[in-house]
Amino acid sequence: MELDVLERQEKEYSFLKQSDDFYISLFNKVYKALSSDAYLTEENRQELLFIAKGLEIYSIQSTRENFFGVNYAENMLYASSIYYLTDYFTTSSILARMFETEDYESEIDRFIHAFLINNRNIRNPYMDRLNDFLESGDKQILISIIKLIDERLKTSDPYKYVQLLLAKRLIEKFSENNIWNSLTRANPAINWKDFVLHKLESSWVLFPSQEAALKKGILINDNSFSIQMPTSSGKTSLCEIVIYNEIVYKKRKVLLLAPYRALASELKYAFTKKFRNLGLTVKAIYGGHTPTKEEKVEMENVDLLICTPEKFMAIENYIPNLHETFSTVICDEGHLLDDEHRGLNYELLLAKFKNSSTQEKKYIYLSAIIPNIATINSWLGGDENTLIKSDYRPTNLTYGFLIEQGDNKNKYFNLKLYSQKNGLEKSLINKFLSVKEDYKYKKSSTGKINTYKYKTYKTRAISVALRSLNNGVVAVFTPQKGENGVKGLAEEIINQISLLNFPKPLDFSKTEELENLIIYIEQVFGKDYILTKSVENGFVIHHGDLPQFVREVIENSIRKKIVPLIVCTNTLAEGVNLPIKTLVLHTIKRFNSSLKIMEPIRKRDIKNIIGRAGRAGQETEGLVISVNPSEYSYIQEVISDDQIEPVRGYLYQIINEITNELKEDRLLITNELIDEQSEEFKRLIDSIDKSIIDSLYEESTPDNISDILENLINKTYSYFQSDYNNKLTLEHIFKLRGEVLSPYLKRNEIGILKQSDSTVRIYEDIKGVINLGDDFWQNTSLPFTDETIGYLLDIIYSLNHLEFDFEQFHQENDINLTKGLLKKVILNWIEGEWYGDISNKTNVEVEDVLKIMLFIESNIVPVLSKIVTIAKIELQKQGIIISKDLEDLGLFIQYGINSRINLILIELGFSERMGILFVGNWIKNNFSTLNLNDKDTIEMILRENKIEIIEYLKETVPLISLDAFRSNLRYI
DNA sequence: CGAAAATAAATGTGTTGTACGACAG
DNA sequence: ACACATTTATTTTCG
């Protein structure tokens, strides 16, 4: 019914004709379970879940019209309660929330409903008592409620009996898992009242996964803990408890390492408000902004610091050994240790902590499922008693596999369904897709009926996605961006909705908001780009070539359900949580260039992506559908956590490779040998160098550098896992690199390396190319012109270091990126043009413009900043100061602006470029007499002209920009 | 009946995600 | 290694 394929089912569903019989039998089973405690056992729990699903359809809006004779509201109490009793608390509450407490008449019904949706605001003998309990935690009160119910059960009329029994079971369950009970049991020494009173607003119980962690003694024990649980199983909420406990009870300060900006910002948002009311101080710093003086003071006094690992390393450079203030460290998304670009830093940061002379820290390592978490745990100082594993998920996931059936005369596709918790339970949706019914269309040029080409997986994935639209928000995952990935799928959608009769995304979108989205996207990308065409058809796409601010707009459109369909790559797994009901896996294979084969992506990543379906608190369940039979067994393995890749740490992988190479060639590695290796290998060594540079502190000298490095190495996860040979390689390489860096230490050049974020190689490269005698350095300031950019690009093009990057860019993209083109793109960009305009002016496709922009952002800008920083420091020695404008050059290019006012707006927290550009101009035109290079002046202008600015923006920019600017303006 | 559509088999072409930093004396 | 598009030859379908 939900997928609108009922009438094509071959099987007769007798219960549809005898729905009252079916209902009675379901109800009977519920009653039996409740009256015999049978629901408490694991097996019966599975069955109860199916019963709940059965009851559910008699109450939810999309299906209940098909039945009659059932009191929707009353029945929902049963369905919802069963979800509650089987630990699906969020599902329970979503279902119950489909009705109001006022919809119920009897005292007991109102109580049950209010209980299920955490509504404390009704007056009622049961709820009054429950309220007393919630505020005091006095167990006796719960006992008294049960007594009260028992009394009434004896005298109750038959119509109330089941409800009373239900209430009794709910309260019995609640006596066990309520937050008071769990917390005081986990740490009786602390008064939880303040915390609980705060927590009550969101939840009254803990998830089994959280319970498991508490039972292991995480609040009492000072050892390190490792926690492995699926996405969205209440990690944040568990952290909240642990952090509160550490600060209030253990009197420790907590450092929370969150490796993505989006994550850090999410956590900041989640914690700041709650903890402030509890009298704890929270600070979050990540990406982009450099902390002010006051903030630095705050950082040392704050109770909880939320930080990206890189940012924390940066801070440690000006607050040496800041980490000693924090005796508890929480490592979120711990599997990042494996990351090719960032794992090394993360590992060395932790090694540095472990190497500290102060007391051993308590580490809490949070991660998705990895088989060797025990190794990591013992590296961090934990043991088997401090290892917490849970596979609890607050929403149930169902997996669907599309099965091809029939011959050419009558071809159709069934959907085979497996429930997550019970691999054996299969069900089948017949003719989920059918060639006869779904793929026939009339060709207008001939007037004949044609069959749509349904054989490709693209077609199938999209058809499945469109078919699922009735059921809620759909995401289509694909690991590639181009024709065989996001772009191809988007085109396929447009094609299918124009020819076939599937549900159309436009019919599920919010027209007015969508209009605004279309206007905005068209302004940014022009009419021809695939994203523009997508939004016009009521869906969106999402991948890493899209600039960050656009991704946010897109995520928002899904979050607010402005559009019901998104096609995306891994960005989905990395980004923030979205309310996705159905996830369609187009394919999970990606081309591996070195092996020249298509290869499945990591199971760990698939697991992460799959976990995005059925967001707790938003959906009652999730559905994951795979359409490619050659991948089914691999996905089955992912579902059953079979052979998930271990986390070794990136450093370990390199070292292991090097050791093996050396063994084969019987070589002894030397710095000369390193210099002879490929650029790829040297960049690997560069990353080691950089981590070394970053972890050198003030007290480092040429004499003790090898000691410092050796101590550091000994504490790494790589060393911990290594065998004798690997240990030798590891020590040897770090020693070698120490030798390379030692002269720079001697010459006091480590500072300049750090400040310019350079490795030795690029530093020497730049020094060899730039001519500090040129007037350029002294004469350049805003606005940047053709000549400015030209001069710098000349330098860029003469660097050896970037040749490799250009080569790679050309290998990966079919774009001839000449110096002229690059200059034109940069100039247009800083002059305020958008991707669509730049595409028109340069005759380059929008998608290629995006790729060029990405190259500029990630390859050109960092090098430009290094060049400018190195020049600045060198010139300073001669007493020459370069302009502030030139110093900030990287920012101007990065943000695509060419005036100081705009940069100030960004510093003031404005993030949406269109608004920034227009308001910047408006200020320039209206306040030319003031000093517009001054932050305070700009702030003053903004504060005093809020209304005028909004009025002006209303006339000039799309509503989305206006809204973004307005919400930033609120904080001025 | 004849054009259009479907089928089958052979050949050719293209394939590559995501992410964080940017600093003192 | 694989998905998909294109080409070609042949058969089937339908207005």
Side-chain angles (χ1 to χ4, degrees):
Chain A
M1 279 176 199
E2 283 172 349
L3 299 166
D4 197 24
V5 288
L6 193 56
E7 74 285 353
R8 55 172 78 167
Q9 301 302 296
E10 277 166 4
K11 204 158 121 198
E12 283 239 337
Y13 292 98
S14 49
F15 81 89
L16 285 174
K17 289 183 190 144
Q18 298 168 264
S19 67
D20 31 6
D21 288 346
F22 181 54
Y23 186 80
I24 290 166
S25 103
L26 287 171
F27 189 83
N28 191 25
K29 287 194 176 215
V30 171
Y31 178 74
K32 265 190 186 155
L34 289 179
S35 52
S36 68
D37 284 351
Y39 66 93
L40 294 172
T41 69
E42 194 58 35
E43 300 147 54
N44 287 325
R45 209 174 258 203
Q46 303 304 331
E47 197 188 345
L48 268 177
L49 215 55
F50 285 111
I51 294 172
K53 183 75 190 166
L55 290 175
E56 197 185 308
I57 60 173
Y58 288 82
S59 283
I60 59 172
Q61 210 148 26
S62 57
T63 49
R64 67 189 184 194
E65 311 285 305
N66 298 278
F67 312 107
F68 50 93
V70 172
N71 179 333
Y72 302 146
E74 189 70 37
N75 173 58
M76 190 58 106
L77 283 188
Y78 306 138
S80 168
S81 297
I82 293 168
Y83 280 113
Y84 188 97
L85 292 173
T86 46
D87 289 337
Y88 287 98
F89 307 112
T90 59
T91 306
S92 157
S93 129
I94 294 174
L95 288 176
R97 271 169 215 278
M98 291 176 183
F99 294 88
E100 310 273 324
T101 306
E102 287 69 43
D103 294 338
Y104 298 91
E105 273 162 29
S106 77
E107 212 165 57
I108 192 71
D109 281 358
R110 287 166 65 87
F111 171 65
I112 294 175
H113 186 262
F115 174 81
L116 291 171
I117 67 166
N118 293 6
N119 170 10
R120 296 176 59 188
N121 306 319
I122 58 161
R123 306 301 324 235
N124 168 318
Y126 303 105
M127 187 49 86
D128 288 346
R129 279 173 208 198
L130 189 67
N131 264 326
D132 287 344
F133 168 76
L134 290 171
E135 269 156 40
S136 66
D138 179 359
K139 281 184 191 169
Q140 289 307 316
I141 302 177
L142 289 179
I143 295 173
S144 82
I145 297 179
I146 292 174
K147 259 193 197 147
L148 179 65
I149 297 175
D150 272 335
E151 296 283 311
R152 305 257 167 116
L153 270 170
K154 281 180 206 151
T155 56
S156 126
D157 70 83
Y159 295 100
K160 299 276 161 45
Y161 190 80
V162 177
Q163 290 93 313
L164 283 165
L165 192 59
L166 200 53
K168 185 178 168 187
R169 295 308 185 206
L170 290 172
I171 296 301
E172 278 169 358
K173 172 103 187 165
F174 185 67
S175 319
E176 260 310 296
N177 71 350
N178 73 74
I179 180 165
W180 276 105
N181 192 22
S182 304
L183 291 177
T184 34
R185 196 165 44 192
N187 186 359
I190 183 173
N191 181 0
W192 287 100
K193 185 160 183 173
D194 291 341
F195 186 82
V196 171
L197 289 183
H198 249 275
K199 197 80 184 149
L200 288 180
E201 288 163 27
S202 51
S203 162
W204 298 353
V205 295
L206 294 185
F207 291 163
S209 47
Q210 298 165 339
E211 193 79 45
L214 296 188
K215 277 193 180 136
K216 286 265 185 173
I218 194 168
L219 300 186
I220 305 288
N221 201 326
D222 281 340
N223 283 351
S224 290
F225 277 77
S226 292
I227 306 173
Q228 171 180 294
M229 48 171 83
T231 349
S232 86
S233 57
K235 254 191 318 193
T236 311
S237 172
L238 176 62
C239 279
E240 195 182 24
I241 294 168
V242 171
I243 292 167
Y244 183 78
N245 183 75
E246 292 296 308
I247 297 171
V248 171
Y249 173 66
K250 301 268 187 185
K251 309 286 177 214
R252 291 154 163 248
K253 290 175 186 293
V254 180
L255 172 64
L256 172 52
L257 295 173
Y260 302 106
R261 285 195 207 177
L263 186 65
S265 122
E266 214 174 60
L267 291 170
K268 173 191 175 182
Y269 180 80
F271 288 145
T272 310
K273 214 167 128 197
K274 270 186 197 146
F275 281 149
R276 192 190 299 132
N277 292 329
L278 290 169
L280 312 183
T281 47
V282 181
K283 182 108 209 113
I285 36 166
Y286 48 86
H289 100 291
T290 35
T292 61
K293 286 246 157 56
E294 304 89 70
E295 281 182 303
K296 285 173 194 171
V297 179
E298 267 180 66
M299 246 178 279
E300 279 169 288
N301 299 315
V302 83
D303 294 314
L304 168 66
L305 182 64
I306 303 168
C307 219
T308 54
E310 287 88 351
K311 193 69 186 181
F312 192 81
M313 291 186 96
I315 304 170
E316 283 234 317
N317 280 316
Y318 48 83
I319 313 179
N321 295 325
L322 175 65
H323 69 87
E324 282 169 9
T325 355
F326 299 95
S327 29
T328 301
V329 177
I330 303 179
C331 313
D332 204 352
E333 305 279 328
H335 51 266
L336 204 89
L337 283 177
D338 252 5
D339 186 274
E340 168 177 6
H341 290 101
R342 306 181 50 209
L344 187 57
N345 271 325
Y346 202 167
E347 184 175 345
L348 287 176
L349 181 65
L350 292 180
K352 184 173 167 186
F353 289 174
K354 288 181 70 69
N355 193 24
S356 157
S357 49
T358 50
Q359 73 176 118
E360 177 81 353
K361 292 189 199 317
K362 172 173 181 176
Y363 297 91
I364 295 168
Y365 182 88
L366 303 169
S367 145
I369 286 163
I370 45 179
N372 63 336
I373 190 163
T375 319
I376 297 177
N377 190 42
S378 57
W379 168 55
L380 289 171
D383 55 45
E384 67 274 18
N385 296 319
T386 66
L387 195 58
I388 298 153
K389 289 184 188 179
S390 163
D391 57 3
Y392 170 80
R393 256 189 68 99
T395 46
N396 197 31
L397 270 190
T398 304
Y399 301 90
F401 297 93
L402 199 66
I403 310 286
E404 192 169 342
Q405 296 279 298
D407 51 20
N408 277 329
K409 298 269 179 294
N410 181 23
K411 169 99 51 178
Y412 54 92
F413 298 89
N414 294 341
L415 193 68
K416 213 172 207 176
L417 296 174
Y418 295 78
S419 177
Q420 178 202 28
K421 280 228 158 174
N422 195 341
L424 297 173
E425 281 295 333
K426 279 178 238 168
S427 54
L428 193 80
I429 297 182
N430 224 307
K431 294 190 180 165
F432 192 67
L433 301 173
S434 141
V435 174
K436 268 188 190 163
E437 287 167 82
D438 294 322
Y439 287 124
K440 297 290 181 186
Y441 68 97
K442 195 171 204 165
K443 190 169 168 184
S444 53
S445 61
T446 60
K448 287 203 169 192
I449 304 292
N450 281 23
T451 310
Y452 190 88
K453 293 208 173 3
Y454 61 86
K455 297 216 162 137
T456 70
Y457 295 118
K458 264 201 284 198
T459 312
R460 295 177 196 183
I462 293 311
S463 299
V464 167
L466 294 175
R467 161 76 65 228
S468 309
L469 282 174
N470 281 320
N471 203 13
V473 176
V474 180
V476 181
F477 169 80
T478 179
Q480 293 170 207
K481 288 183 289 202
E483 296 302 328
N484 285 322
V486 172
K487 188 176 178 220
L489 287 167
E491 281 161 354
E492 180 71 29
I493 294 174
I494 295 171
N495 210 14
Q496 285 196 23
I497 55 183
S498 72
L499 292 176
L500 304 176
N501 266 327
F502 286 115
K504 294 181 174 38
L506 274 178
D507 297 336
F508 299 87
S509 52
K510 295 186 179 160
T511 317
E512 205 175 308
E513 285 104 324
L514 182 60
E515 282 300 315
N516 292 325
L517 183 65
I518 294 172
I519 293 170
Y520 183 75
I521 296 290
E522 202 177 301
Q523 182 120 199
V524 173
F525 295 101
K527 272 202 166 11
D528 297 329
Y529 186 53
I530 185 68
L531 177 57
T532 318
K533 291 180 192 161
S534 301
V535 289
E536 280 166 358
N537 281 290
F539 68 97
V540 288
I541 61 173
H542 194 278
H543 57 67
D545 282 355
L546 295 172
Q548 193 61 47
F549 70 93
V550 174
R551 284 191 236 174
E552 273 162 37
V553 170
I554 289 169
E555 284 159 13
N556 223 10
S557 69
I558 290 286
R559 195 173 302 116
K560 292 188 183 155
K561 308 206 174 169
I562 295 169
V563 292
L565 177 59
I566 180 170
V567 184
C568 59
T569 61
N570 300 25
T571 39
L572 182 74
E574 320 285 352
V576 286
N577 280 307
L578 298 175
I580 293 163
K581 175 94 178 203
T582 310
L583 177 72
V584 182
L585 303 174
H586 164 233
T587 164
I588 41 109
K589 289 200 211 84
R590 175 155 48 208
F591 187 70
N592 177 325
S593 56
S594 48
L595 296 174
K596 299 272 179 244
I597 53 161
M598 298 293 283
E599 172 179 74
I601 59 176
R602 273 190 312 213
K603 288 184 178 166
R604 200 194 303 152
D605 295 334
I606 300 176
K607 190 100 198 162
N608 202 353
I609 289 155
I610 284 177
R612 305 282 155 164
R615 173 101 180 100
Q618 298 264 356
E619 311 286 343
T620 55
E621 59 182 350
L623 177 60
V624 179
I625 303 176
S626 172
V627 297
N628 185 328
S630 74
E631 297 170 349
Y632 291 171
S633 62
Y634 192 81
I635 291 174
Q636 288 282 13
E637 284 173 16
V638 175
I639 296 169
S640 49
D641 295 332
D642 196 10
Q643 299 172 46
I644 305 264
E645 304 81 2
V647 168
R648 297 271 174 222
Y650 185 60
L651 180 60
Y652 178 83
Q653 294 170 32
I654 308 170
I655 296 300
N656 206 24
E657 243 171 73
I658 296 177
T659 311
N660 289 337
E661 289 277 318
L662 291 178
K663 243 190 265 167
E664 260 170 43
D665 299 344
R666 295 163 198 235
L667 286 172
L668 189 65
I669 197 161
T670 60
N671 279 324
E672 288 73 34
L673 195 67
I674 289 174
D675 283 337
E676 287 164 19
Q677 300 300 312
S678 69
E679 180 68 21
E680 274 100 341
F681 185 80
K682 280 195 266 186
R683 296 227 166 172
L684 221 96
I685 297 293
D686 276 352
S687 64
I688 294 185
D689 281 359
K690 260 180 66 145
S691 301
I692 296 178
I693 295 170
D694 280 341
S695 34
L696 289 177
Y697 2 90
E698 284 186 15
E699 56 272 25
S700 318
T701 65
D703 307 321
N704 68 10
I705 179 168
S706 62
D707 290 340
I708 290 178
L709 287 180
E710 204 182 324
N711 285 331
L712 189 65
I713 292 308
N714 288 337
K715 294 288 195 263
T716 58
Y717 177 48
S718 307
Y719 193 85
F720 184 81
Q721 300 170 81
S722 286
D723 61 10
Y724 176 74
N725 282 331
N726 276 342
K727 277 183 178 154
L728 277 189
T729 315
L730 196 56
E731 282 166 354
H732 194 58
I733 287 202
F734 272 75
K735 201 169 161 228
L736 284 177
R737 298 322 289 173
E739 282 166 18
V740 170
L741 291 173
S742 172
Y744 291 86
L745 210 54
K746 224 175 270 173
R747 291 199 299 271
N748 222 354
E749 282 182 312
I750 291 290
I752 194 168
L753 287 177
K754 267 196 189 188
Q755 276 183 55
S756 62
D757 194 39
S758 308
T759 62
V760 174
R761 285 201 305 138
I762 191 164
Y763 173 63
E764 294 297 343
D765 200 0
I766 290 173
K767 277 225 308 199
V769 167
I770 54 174
N771 184 359
L772 294 173
D774 283 346
D775 292 343
F776 173 87
W777 299 106
Q778 299 183 47
N779 296 341
T780 305
S781 60
L782 283 168
F784 298 126
T785 59
D786 204 305
E787 288 75 42
T788 318
I789 304 297
Y791 179 89
L792 288 164
L793 284 183
D794 282 338
I795 298 180
I796 293 269
Y797 270 80
S798 36
L799 289 173
N800 292 322
H801 193 84
L802 270 174
E803 259 173 43
F804 176 75
D805 300 69
F806 277 107
E807 221 171 84
Q808 256 197 345
F809 182 82
H810 284 123
Q811 237 169 49
E812 283 166 13
N813 305 293
D814 199 17
I815 307 165
N816 183 15
L817 188 57
T818 59
K819 203 193 290 182
L821 177 58
L822 196 54
K823 189 162 79 173
K824 216 165 166 184
V825 173
I826 295 179
L827 273 172
N828 275 305
W829 175 242
I830 59 175
E831 284 305 327
E833 299 288 359
W834 286 102
Y835 310 106
D837 310 321
I838 297 178
S839 162
N840 288 334
K841 289 193 178 168
T842 53
N843 243 335
V844 173
E845 295 279 323
V846 174
E847 33 185 314
D848 291 344
V849 171
L850 289 176
K851 292 206 152 87
I852 296 174
M853 286 302 306
L854 213 61
F855 183 74
I856 292 172
E857 223 171 277
S858 52
N859 298 64
I860 304 288
V861 168
V863 176
L864 279 179
S865 304
K866 291 181 191 20
I867 294 173
V868 172
T869 309
I870 290 171
K872 178 188 102 177
I873 295 173
E874 291 294 327
L875 285 167
Q876 236 163 29
K877 290 180 192 159
Q878 306 168 25
I880 299 168
I881 307 288
I882 67 167
S883 74
K884 181 96 177 65
D885 296 342
L886 188 54
E887 246 181 80
D888 290 337
L889 172 89
L891 297 175
F892 286 100
I893 299 181
Q894 189 185 330
Y895 294 118
I897 49 177
N898 203 5
S899 92
R900 182 60 55 181
I901 305 175
N902 290 336
L903 188 60
I904 292 174
L905 287 173
I906 285 168
E907 283 168 357
L908 286 173
F910 292 90
S911 52
E912 199 285 322
R913 180 168 173 253
M914 212 177 285
I916 291 171
L917 290 170
F918 274 91
V919 172
N921 268 334
W922 184 81
I923 293 177
K924 197 161 71 191
N925 294 336
N926 290 290
F927 298 90
S928 50
T929 52
L930 300 175
N931 174 16
L932 299 178
N933 290 331
D934 179 56
K935 198 169 171 177
D936 295 338
T937 312
I938 301 287
E939 198 171 353
M940 185 268 293
I941 294 174
L942 290 171
R943 199 178 310 121
E944 291 178 0
N945 296 283
K946 286 188 179 180
I947 295 163
E948 290 83 353
I949 290 172
I950 296 299
E951 281 306 312
Y952 169 72
L953 285 177
K954 266 186 195 157
E955 320 249 297
T956 47
V957 301
L959 204 64
I960 289 192
S961 310
L962 170 67
D963 286 343
F965 201 92
R966 186 163 27 199
S967 76
N968 290 145
L969 195 58
R970 219 167 279 149
Y971 297 100
I972 295 292

